[in-house]
Amino acid sequence: MTAVTLPARVVGFPFPFPHETYRYSTNVEPAGTRATTAAGGWGDHVVDVDEFYLAELAERDRVLAADPSRFQALPHMGVAQWETTTTLMRMLADAHPDRFSLTRDGTRWHWRNGELGLEQSFVPGDPDSLPEPPLRYIGRQVQEDIVLLDQRQGALWGDAGLVTFAADWSLRFDVGMSFLQIHGPVPRVHEEGVIPRAQQFLMGLQAGQRYRRTNWTLTVDRRLDTATETYPDWGRDRRLLAEGPLDDVGHRLHLRVEVQHLIRLGASNAILFLIRTHLLPLEDVALVPEWAQRLHDVLVELPDDMADYKGITRTRGPGIDWLREYAGTHN
């Protein structure tokens, strides 16, 4: 039998289910180490560049042009913005030195992004040395959404960010809210103490420490922007998929996985929260039989309140049916 060569998007996909059941948890682990999966692996770099880099940055620019409020920064977050900019530049240059570089000559820094054909000299702290606010500048050059958490008054606060690929939430609504307030609607996590424990863990991070976790949902079509603001554009797709032919589910319904990185910055003491969204259609999930069965089992067992919060009440049934019909999964 000839071995199947999996496409790169499958080999490097961060499949999120270590168990046959799923519950909310902090599920954090140290970042920057390779996670092995049945298809390959992921996670060698905190910030990486893949085959979707140019397309996703073009989509980010489109979303920002249509809605500039996807970038938010409260006035006191200036130092954190600059520190985020240089931190992400270093990460890109370390991961891909052939395409990115960051050098320094005294107070002036020089950034090269070979993928975008950009070269920029700047002085950290000098707003006139970049063509736009620093967080927006670097946010338009990474595939991750960015949120900056300020720590004060014994709590964390979401006080800046650039988020164009939100999974049914709104940075414009959440900016300035506390970590506990932001996670208020999530079912089960407060009764089980998950969010308070997560906040205590984050507030205990030391400068330079880096951790990661995954989160997931299902998305119809390869739509990155499923923010609350654009619900009228995508909300009905879930109903239409459920009412449509089962044949369409394999290429239209995507497993959507967020790889979230949490990094304590030094000078500002802020926490850099990076959210990288990966989308894989069920027909690609089915290329890895172990993944297809595991996704099937998770969807079947998932409690209704969690399915409702994730917005998959309409789509998990078609997903289960397609996996059984076309991927050979079973109870």
Side-chain angles (χ1 to χ4, degrees):
M1 181 179 295
T2 303
V4 176
T5 301
L6 297 172
R9 65 183 178 275
V10 177
V11 172
F13 187 75
F15 191 75
F17 304 121
H19 308 293
E20 296 167 353
T21 60
Y22 173 83
R23 294 295 184 272
Y24 290 114
S25 67
T26 50
N27 74 310
V28 294
E29 62 183 14
T33 57
R34 185 170 182 81
T36 301
T37 71
W42 60 277
D44 298 282
H45 305 292
V46 173
V47 178
D48 205 353
V49 172
D50 64 15
E51 62 186 290
F52 302 110
Y53 181 75
L54 295 179
E56 291 185 5
L57 294 191
E59 175 65 2
R60 170 157 292 152
D61 282 345
R62 184 196 68 79
V63 173
L64 276 172
D67 183 4
S69 73
R70 302 298 185 90
F71 166 71
Q72 297 282 336
L74 299 186
H76 66 277
M77 297 300 287
V79 172
Q81 282 198 62
W82 281 106
E83 191 172 9
T84 296
T85 299
T86 55
T87 296
L88 291 177
M89 287 175 174
R90 283 195 195 98
M91 287 181 178
L92 284 169
D94 288 345
H96 302 284
D98 56 326
R99 290 178 276 178
F100 305 92
S101 65
L102 180 66
T103 56
R104 183 176 178 179
D105 182 8
T107 60
R108 183 161 291 277
W109 299 49
H110 186 80
W111 166 244
R112 179 183 66 87
N113 181 332
E115 286 288 316
L116 298 178
L118 288 177
E119 296 211 22
Q120 179 72 47
S121 292
F122 65 95
V123 177
D126 179 2
D128 295 328
S129 63
L130 286 180
E132 57 188 326
L135 186 61
R136 182 180 163 108
Y137 178 78
I138 192 59
R140 293 174 56 238
Q141 299 181 56
V142 295
Q143 290 165 268
E144 286 77 4
D145 283 325
I146 304 170
V147 177
L148 288 174
L149 300 171
D150 190 35
Q151 185 167 327
R152 61 182 188 278
Q153 301 170 354
L156 296 171
W157 304 80
D159 285 348
L162 191 157
V163 178
T164 57
F165 304 148
D168 203 5
W169 61 281
S170 168
L171 175 67
R172 181 172 59 195
F173 179 80
D174 287 352
V175 70
M177 294 173 66
S178 73
F179 187 81
L180 298 182
Q181 290 169 333
I182 290 170
H183 292 90
V186 184
R188 299 174 180 250
V189 295
H190 298 280
E191 298 88 339
E192 298 170 8
V194 173
I195 297 303
R197 287 199 304 273
Q199 178 171 252
Q200 287 302 120
F201 172 80
L202 291 174
M203 290 195 299
L205 289 180
Q206 302 300 304
Q209 285 190 304
R210 305 173 179 184
Y211 285 83
R212 70 184 178 212
R213 66 184 299 272
T214 58
N215 195 17
W216 70 277
T217 187
L218 300 176
T219 294
V220 179
D221 299 328
R222 188 176 173 79
R223 178 183 287 273
L224 288 163
D225 178 21
T226 57
T228 307
E229 290 91 335
T230 55
Y231 179 82
D233 298 333
W234 56 265
R236 66 177 188 147
D237 291 342
R238 297 180 293 198
R239 174 179 57 83
L240 295 175
L241 180 87
E243 295 173 353
L246 189 62
D247 288 358
D248 288 347
V249 173
H251 67 267
R252 293 199 64 195
L253 190 60
H254 288 65
L255 176 58
R256 180 188 184 110
V257 177
E258 294 177 352
V259 176
Q260 304 174 351
H261 279 93
L262 303 145
I263 303 163
R264 172 72 80 178
L265 300 178
S268 64
N269 201 42
I271 292 176
L272 172 58
F273 180 36
L274 301 172
I275 310 165
R276 172 66 193 283
T277 299
H278 299 261
L279 291 165
L280 197 68
L282 292 200
E283 61 186 11
D284 280 353
V285 173
L287 295 175
V288 187
E290 299 96 323
W291 287 4
Q293 185 64 52
R294 181 60 56 83
L295 176 59
H296 168 276
D297 294 344
V298 167
L299 292 177
V300 168
E301 194 278 336
L302 192 71
D304 289 344
D305 61 336
M306 294 177 68
D308 185 59
Y309 176 74
K310 286 183 173 293
I312 66 172
T313 300
R314 288 182 181 271
T315 55
R316 74 163 166 172
I320 292 167
D321 292 343
W322 188 91
L323 289 167
R324 287 176 177 168
E325 178 71 21
Y326 293 95
T329 61
H330 53 82
N331 284 332

